[in-house]
């Protein structure tokens, strides 16, 4: 058995309008858990940033954002829809779902738009886990599902990635063996933070061998960046699978918020009551529609990001450092010393790299930025690693980052 975990995160970080010190401090008891926010990559990246920085200054390669932003077609679509901003325009959501469903050969009823993919991720865990129905996740992996499980009171089983020095893929057999009655098995493909893909045959194995009432939650936030087979066919076949898609990554709409939950209508009906009925911003809908209809957008951006990633990883390897074999817009870099020290030393140069996972304390996550940003990263990384990182940890680090976001319990 793998140990359960208690998701207690460091203090000092906040979404807009909440004290930085109080963001992750929740009192014990059901009332506190009921108010636990839906956490996104933005929150988690901000939580681990060694010091506050003006997002308009320095280089930020710590939140898996796409610095290219929305496509030109998406920008023009948002501008054009603004005069109609006084209307709810619910039909826009229906049209967006229909466009996506037609492109993917799905029924429109199996697609529900949300403000990004964080909401349906959170709601799926709430709907299908409980104190008797655990959550199973990979380690290291995206932490947000564990926060939702904290709300539902579900035990959490963190299963180490298989072949961590190689493919760093989900260990699907171990995930199935972790508990006899999982409510949700979460697979992020490509995985955040490693950027690695789990083979299609392994995902098929999970879907075929999971208990009949277990929901397989497949997070495809980064799927457009790789060549791995997609998982939407499981939905077409009526499997107990919910697939998440977002416009935050390749499409460059992280700050605009749009995504989908795709699954059997009866499964989606269990997650939408948690928050899937609110009107979505018409600007986000317009931008998403324009993005889907731009046939050149995905292959063009995929190549730009892949070229930059491959060049950066090749340079790091030439310098003697190992990285995960990413197919995404992020990768894990083994810095061979406490990652928090390197993160802090880079932050002192206004170079913000991603957070550290407790399972891999000597690795930091690097987001693929623009070619110029990654050249600047090379320069700063060389300077940091050629000198001593001792003494470069800001005074606030022990207070804010002393605890890892998730701590194993024996």
């Amino acid at each position: 058995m793998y140990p359960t975990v208690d998701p207690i995160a460091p203090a000092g970080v906040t979404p807009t309008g909440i004290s930085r010190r109080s963001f992750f401090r929740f009192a014990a008891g059901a009332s506190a858990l009921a108010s636990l926010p839906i956490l996104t990559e933005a929150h988690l990246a901000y939580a681990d940033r060694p010091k506050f920085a003006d997002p308009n200054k320095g280089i930020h390669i710590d939140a898996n954002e796409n610095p290219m932003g929305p496509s030109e077609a998406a920008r023009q679509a948002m501008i054009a829809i603004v005069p109609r901003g006084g209307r709810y325009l619910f039909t826009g959501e229906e049209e967006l779902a229909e466009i996506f469903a037609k492109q993917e050969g799905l029924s429109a009823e199996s697609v529900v738009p949300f403000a990004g993919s964080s909401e349906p991720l959170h709601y799926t865990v709430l709907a299908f886990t409980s104190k008797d129905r655990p959550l199973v996740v990979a380690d290291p992996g995206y932490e947000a599902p564990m926060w939702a499980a904290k709300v539902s009171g579900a035990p959490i089983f963190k299963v180490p990635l298989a072949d961590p020095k190689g493919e760093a893929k989900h260990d699907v057999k171990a995930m199935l063996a972790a508990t006899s009655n999982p409510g949700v098995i979460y697979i992020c493909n490509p995985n955040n933070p490693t950027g690695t893909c789990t083979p299609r045959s392994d995902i098929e194995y999970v879907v075929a061998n999971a208990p009949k009432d277990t929901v397989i939650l497949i997070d495809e936030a980064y799927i457009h960046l790789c060549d791995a087979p997609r998982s939407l066919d499981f939905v077409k076949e009526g499997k107990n699978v919910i697939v998440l898609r977002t416009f935050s990554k390749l499409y460059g709409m992280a700050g605009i918020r749009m995504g989908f939950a795709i699954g059997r209508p009866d499964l989606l009906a269990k997650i939408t009551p948690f928050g899937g009925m609110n009107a979505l911003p018409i600007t986000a809908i317009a931008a998403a529609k324009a993005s889907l209809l731009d046939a050149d957008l995905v292959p063009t951006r995929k190549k730009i990001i892949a070229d930059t990633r491959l060049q950066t990883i090749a340079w790091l390897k030439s310098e003697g450092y190992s990285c995960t074999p990413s197919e995404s817009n992020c990768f894990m870099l083994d810095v061979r010393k406490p990652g928090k020290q390197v993160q802090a030393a880079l932050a002192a140069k206004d170079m913000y790299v991603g957070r550290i996972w407790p399972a891999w304390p000597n690795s930091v996550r690097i987001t693929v930025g623009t070619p110029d940003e990654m050249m600047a990263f090379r320069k700063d990384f060389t300077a940091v690693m050629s000198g001593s990182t001792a003494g470069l940890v800001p005074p606030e680090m022990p207070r804010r980052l002393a605890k890892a976001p998730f701590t194993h319990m024996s």
Side-chain angles (χ1 to χ4, degrees):
M1 285 293 183
Y2 292 89
T4 58
V5 298
D6 182 19
I8 303 299
V13 190
T14 157
T16 302
I18 302 177
S19 161
R20 287 177 64 81
R21 274 194 287 264
S22 66
F23 181 47
F24 278 120
R25 290 179 180 172
F26 300 103
S31 61
L33 291 177
S35 65
L36 193 66
I38 297 173
L39 297 184
T40 67
E41 176 59 47
H43 296 130
L44 294 164
Y46 185 37
D48 215 40
R49 191 170 291 169
K51 65 172 183 171
F52 177 76
D54 184 337
N56 298 308
K57 296 179 181 178
I59 292 177
H60 299 263
I61 50 174
D62 62 345
N64 291 356
E65 299 158 320
N66 185 344
M68 289 181 273
S71 69
E72 182 59 28
R75 297 179 195 191
Q76 293 303 318
M78 287 189 284
I79 293 171
I81 201 71
V82 165
R84 302 189 68 192
R87 304 288 183 184
Y88 291 114
L89 302 181
F90 281 106
T91 56
E93 297 177 28
E94 297 173 4
E95 292 169 2
L96 177 62
E98 289 169 358
I99 290 170
F100 178 80
K102 183 176 181 181
Q103 289 180 339
E104 300 293 346
L106 298 158
S107 68
E109 293 74 22
S110 63
V111 180
V112 176
F114 285 88
S117 60
S118 296
E119 289 184 355
L121 187 160
H122 191 91
Y123 301 149
T124 299
V125 175
L126 292 185
F128 297 103
T129 68
S130 66
K131 63 181 180 64
D132 301 316
R133 303 298 309 279
L135 168 72
V136 180
V137 298
D139 187 25
Y142 185 39
E143 310 97 320
M146 292 189 280
W147 285 99
K150 184 71 174 178
V151 178
S152 69
I156 303 164
F157 291 86
K158 295 170 67 175
V159 179
L161 292 173
D163 190 18
K165 300 295 184 181
E167 293 182 342
K169 62 181 182 177
H170 287 68
D171 190 339
V172 295
K173 291 186 178 179
M175 293 178 82
L176 287 171
T179 177
S180 62
N181 192 34
V184 171
I185 297 176
Y186 174 76
I187 297 174
C188 188
N189 200 42
N191 187 41
N192 177 14
T194 59
T196 51
C197 288
T198 294
R200 166 70 183 206
S201 58
D202 287 356
I203 297 177
E204 290 175 349
Y205 185 87
V206 173
V207 174
N209 291 281
K212 64 179 182 179
D213 55 351
T214 296
V215 170
I216 312 302
L217 180 59
I218 304 176
D219 188 343
E220 293 190 335
Y222 303 89
I223 198 68
H224 304 97
L225 297 160
C226 72
D227 294 323
R230 281 48 175 158
S231 296
L232 296 178
D233 57 306
F234 295 125
V235 175
K236 298 174 190 177
E237 296 167 2
K239 305 295 186 182
N240 269 17
V241 170
I242 292 177
V243 179
L244 304 178
R245 290 285 181 91
T246 186
F247 288 84
S248 295
K249 307 307 175 184
L250 181 137
Y251 291 110
M253 291 171 49
I256 297 167
R257 313 307 301 144
M258 181 55 63
F260 297 124
I262 306 109
R264 288 201 325 261
D266 64 297
L267 295 180
L268 298 180
K270 293 181 179 180
I271 71 173
T272 50
F274 288 97
M277 306 303 291
N278 195 22
L280 297 174
I282 62 171
T283 46
I285 293 168
K289 288 167 62 176
S291 298
L292 288 178
L293 296 173
D294 185 346
D296 295 328
L297 183 57
V298 171
T300 299
R301 289 193 165 187
K302 177 183 173 185
K303 184 178 188 308
I304 292 170
I305 294 168
D307 288 348
T308 307
R309 179 188 72 239
L310 291 170
Q311 290 165 9
T312 303
I313 290 177
W315 176 80
L316 286 164
K317 288 183 176 179
S318 73
E319 295 294 309
Y321 295 95
S322 62
C323 307
T324 52
S326 170
E327 299 180 51
S328 184
N329 70 336
C330 65
F331 57 91
M332 289 293 270
L333 166 63
D334 185 352
V335 295
R336 305 195 298 263
K337 62 179 67 178
K340 289 179 181 179
Q341 292 182 8
V342 175
Q343 181 196 47
L346 286 167
K349 295 178 174 292
D350 280 333
M351 174 65 65
Y352 298 92
V353 299
R355 57 192 180 274
I356 293 86
W357 271 252
W360 293 6
N362 291 344
S363 293
V364 298
R365 190 188 66 188
I366 308 296
T367 297
V368 178
T370 66
D372 287 346
E373 288 174 337
M374 301 317 290
M375 290 302 293
F377 163 74
R378 294 190 197 186
K379 179 181 177 181
D380 288 345
F381 184 73
T382 298
V384 165
M385 299 307 290
S386 63
S388 172
T389 57
L392 290 177
V393 180
E396 67 269 28
M397 284 284 284
R399 172 175 61 84
R400 293 171 55 189
L401 292 179
K403 289 185 177 180
F406 299 94
T407 306
H408 284 283
M409 297 174 62
S410 57

